[in-house]
Amino acid sequence: KGATTVLLGGVGIAVLIASWATVTREISSGLTERTSFYRSGLRAWKTHPILGTGPDTFGLVFTRFRPAEHAINLENNRTSSIHSVPLGVLVSGGIVVAAAFVLLIAYVGYCAIRLLRNRKSGTADLAVIFFWLATGVQSTVSVEHVGLILEGALSAGLVVARSRMLSTLPRPKISRTQVSGWLIAPIVAITMIGGIWTTRPYRADLLAMRAVQTYYLGSDPQGSFRLISKAVDLTPWTPLQMFREAQISTSVDDKPRTVNIALRAAKADNFNPSTSVELAYMIAASGDFTTAADVIAEAVKADPYAPNVKKKAADLLTQMGDVMKRNNKLDVADEFYRRASMYNTDRQPDSPPLQEGS
């Protein structure tokens, strides 16, 4: 048995040495872009160190704080996850939530040490502890997806449970009769409400699909707009549905409403440059040049180093200046030209032109 253990250990070390160059290269490659995510997250955390930026908000703040080299070299690579669970907890929840997270990890670690020191523990316990440790290491460089969270929670729960089971501390015995009936009712109610609430995104997506289909067919603009408006009402926290609503509203002859919807969509998405540039064009096409200029300026602030965002901003401002110049509003035109020069005067050939009558 001892010889077999030594042999297996030697084989494992040999494999590790042989694959070391490949492993380190893959790790280095994987961390290249993640480093930009981490730097962006830490910059965002410094603006709200105590309570953080809020749950699930990294996608809204990433471009605003990402390094210049990432914006220039990988402009279109945007993310909604920091790719590190501990850093994600710190950025979104601040020191308060991060402290609770550290205390939880410390308690599970304490239980793991107690379990290792207990003579009654076996190989299965050791495997569970290593699985929990491996999950924790993986979480430091991984997206906080459901599978990883479940694996971490399950392994941590097993470590704590086994540590308590094998301890010499007396454990209270709880019979079924001790579970009060009044406790079941709120659990059932919350489950039912949660089930109904979770179907809202699904129903909103179905309505949005019908709205988009009707919109592209061009058969019923008003009906398409009513459908997408219902989808927005079901999921008012979803910027994508608001963007679709603004897009579809352009087919309905109500330009002030289009401006309001597009502006609301841009604000809901924190002036995400991926959508705010197009929303600014919608607003400009509806005749509100001032609001369009404000939206495009916020889009540049949201991704200050992205060259194409600046070029599109300059293009829109220049086009609006051209329209004002043709309408003999030279002071307004000069202001748009001045703001365009702050970004980039190069025109984007694929940018949608403004209508003459705007």
Side-chain angles (χ1 to χ4, degrees):
K1 184 177 179 180
T4 303
T5 303
V6 172
L7 178 62
L8 290 175
V11 171
I13 294 173
V15 171
L16 180 61
I17 294 173
S19 61
W20 182 255
T22 303
V23 171
T24 53
R25 184 174 64 252
E26 291 296 323
I27 292 175
S28 176
S29 175
L31 289 177
T32 299
E33 191 170 9
R34 279 176 169 80
T35 303
S36 297
F37 299 163
Y38 302 158
R39 289 170 60 188
S40 174
L42 290 174
R43 289 175 180 175
W45 168 71
K46 288 179 182 178
T47 63
H48 301 85
I50 306 300
L51 298 177
T53 59
D56 199 26
T57 55
F58 183 73
L60 302 178
V61 301
F62 167 64
T63 56
R64 195 176 296 269
F65 294 99
R66 66 172 167 173
E69 59 268 22
H70 186 276
I72 294 171
N73 299 323
L74 300 168
E75 179 175 355
N76 295 323
N77 287 19
R78 298 184 175 100
T79 181
S80 59
S81 171
I82 196 172
H83 288 70
S84 173
V85 174
L87 276 179
V89 171
L90 177 65
V91 174
S92 61
I95 295 176
V96 174
V97 178
F101 180 77
V102 170
L103 287 175
L104 176 63
I105 298 300
Y107 177 69
V108 178
Y110 166 73
C111 291
I113 293 172
R114 288 188 60 185
L115 184 58
L116 286 173
R117 297 178 63 181
N118 196 307
R119 295 181 179 179
K120 297 178 183 179
S121 62
T123 306
D125 297 313
L126 185 63
V128 171
I129 292 173
F130 274 105
F131 183 76
W132 172 69
L133 289 173
T135 304
V137 172
Q138 174 65 31
S139 71
T140 61
V141 292
S142 181
V143 179
E144 55 271 37
H145 56 76
V146 176
L148 182 64
I149 294 172
L150 289 177
E151 290 173 0
L154 179 62
S155 57
L158 288 173
V159 169
V160 174
R162 286 292 295 169
S163 175
R164 298 291 297 172
M165 287 173 63
L166 298 181
S167 68
T168 57
L169 297 175
R171 299 187 303 275
K173 295 182 179 180
I174 303 176
S175 63
R176 293 183 179 180
T177 56
Q178 290 177 282
V179 181
S180 303
W182 62 266
L183 201 61
I184 299 176
I187 294 176
V188 173
I190 292 172
T191 303
M192 291 179 64
I193 294 172
I196 295 172
W197 185 261
T198 53
T199 62
R200 291 170 70 95
Y202 174 72
R203 287 183 288 152
D205 286 339
L206 290 179
L207 287 170
M209 289 174 60
R210 289 171 54 195
V212 171
Q213 183 180 22
T214 307
Y215 168 69
Y216 282 112
L217 290 175
S219 56
D220 185 9
Q222 292 286 352
S224 177
F225 182 74
R226 284 195 296 270
L227 288 171
I228 194 63
S229 296
K230 289 181 181 178
V232 172
D233 291 339
L234 283 172
T235 54
W237 60 84
T238 308
L240 175 60
Q241 305 294 20
M242 294 184 184
F243 176 80
R244 289 170 174 167
E245 185 183 27
Q247 192 177 39
I248 292 174
S249 71
T250 58
S251 63
V252 181
D253 191 17
D254 191 344
K255 292 183 177 181
R257 181 167 59 179
T258 297
V259 171
N260 291 332
I261 292 172
L263 181 60
R264 183 182 65 171
K267 289 180 177 179
D269 207 10
N270 205 31
F271 295 100
N272 185 339
S274 299
T275 55
S276 291
V277 172
E278 190 171 345
L279 289 168
Y281 271 95
M282 294 179 196
I283 294 171
S286 299
D288 192 340
F289 286 4
T290 302
T291 302
D294 292 340
V295 170
I296 203 73
E298 291 296 330
V300 173
K301 289 180 182 178
D303 203 351
Y305 300 111
N308 284 327
V309 174
K310 290 183 178 181
K311 287 182 179 180
K312 290 178 180 179
D315 179 72
L316 175 60
L317 290 164
T318 302
Q319 288 194 50
M320 292 192 299
D322 292 343
V323 173
M324 290 293 99
K325 187 176 181 179
R326 286 194 292 270
N327 291 332
N328 293 321
K329 297 181 179 179
L330 301 182
D331 291 342
V332 179
D334 289 341
E335 175 61 19
F336 285 138
Y337 290 146
R338 184 191 66 80
R339 296 178 70 170
S341 66
M342 294 169 55
Y343 304 129
N344 194 323
T345 54
D346 294 336
R347 301 290 292 271
Q348 287 289 96
D350 57 345
S351 299
L354 295 177
Q355 299 297 322
E356 182 67 33
S358 298

